[in-house]
Amino acid sequence: MRRVIVEQFKHPHGVLGRLAGWIMSHRESNRLRNEWVVSVLGIEPAHCVLEVGCGPGIALGAAAELASEGRVIGVDHSALMVAVAAKRNADAIASGRLEVVHGTAETAAGLGLQFDRVFAVNVVQFWDSPLETLHTLRRVMTPGGIIAVALQPRNKGATDEDAYLAARRNQSLLEQAGFRNMRVQTLDLKPVVACVLAEA
């Protein structure tokens, strides 16, 4: 049963996917970590911003408020989550500042945009080829652009050490993908959220 539940958080679909989306939308830790990651990115009004794995779109609205003269793109491989995120952020979409796209990092790369800020919250562990995905993202970022890869472990019995181990793995992946000037910031939840920030 646990495998079925985890699969729904990886790729929400159907009735159980709607339940997973509801949990992601309403769990306080999810809201706090998404809003926090947006806050540490240094998004400026004219920035072009990408979220990979936007889920129900909690962070997209916050990013669109900061990039008030720019553009925000959210991509998710779950059509259900794209619909939920679009509904949640209907006003920003109507203004032309936000777009939610069904797809992956590769889909975003095909949009022909250069991103100043890119972020992914609690999704890197679900990527089939994280190094390849990070290579793709670096190619579509402006020089000096900032990427944030954040993870709060959600496995049973997860500890702060699990978060720090994940951060070290993510640092290594980012370095292999050609990112530089890495730093780690943490949000004091239980367990902590560890966010690796790096420059393209």
Side-chain angles (χ1 to χ4, degrees), residues 5-187:
I5 293 170
V6 170
E7 178 62 28
Q8 286 298 332
F9 283 93
K10 178 181 180 180
H11 190 187
H13 59 280
V15 175
L16 288 178
R18 291 186 184 280
L19 176 60
W22 188 91
I23 292 170
M24 285 187 276
S25 295
H26 292 85
R27 180 185 281 163
E28 184 180 17
S29 63
N30 194 46
R31 180 181 56 79
L32 289 172
R33 73 173 173 260
N34 275 274
E35 292 175 352
W36 172 72
V37 171
V38 171
S39 75
V40 300
L41 266 170
I43 296 173
E44 297 177 5
H47 275 166
C48 188
V49 181
L50 171 66
E51 180 179 11
V52 182
C54 65
I58 293 172
L60 291 177
E65 284 185 19
L66 294 171
S68 55
E69 301 165 18
R71 190 169 180 194
V72 176
I73 306 290
V75 296
D76 201 286
H77 67 176
S78 165
L80 175 59
M81 288 299 97
V82 168
V84 172
K87 183 176 180 181
R88 175 186 298 276
N89 295 286
D91 290 345
I93 290 172
S95 74
R97 292 181 292 116
L98 173 62
E99 183 178 358
V100 186
V101 178
H102 182 212
T104 63
E106 288 72 23
T107 308
L111 297 175
L113 299 171
Q114 287 287 298
F115 297 99
D116 303 290
R117 298 290 185 270
V118 173
F119 66 104
V121 183
N122 268 43
V123 296
V124 66
Q125 72 273 26
F126 295 134
W127 292 346
D128 292 332
S129 303
L131 181 57
E132 184 178 325
T133 298
L134 291 171
H135 272 296
T136 297
L137 294 173
R138 189 173 66 83
R139 287 196 302 270
V140 296
M141 291 181 66
T142 57
I146 303 296
I147 188 171
V149 178
L151 184 67
Q152 180 187 26
R154 304 309 298 166
N155 54 292
K156 186 176 181 180
T159 65
D160 290 353
E161 184 56 31
D162 292 327
Y164 297 133
L165 284 170
R168 288 195 285 274
R169 285 194 300 270
N170 292 336
Q171 279 183 288
S172 176
L173 287 166
L174 286 160
E175 185 175 25
Q176 292 175 65
F179 289 91
R180 56 194 174 83
N181 295 334
M182 277 167 280
R183 64 190 188 280
V184 178
Q185 291 187 228
T186 58
L187 176 64

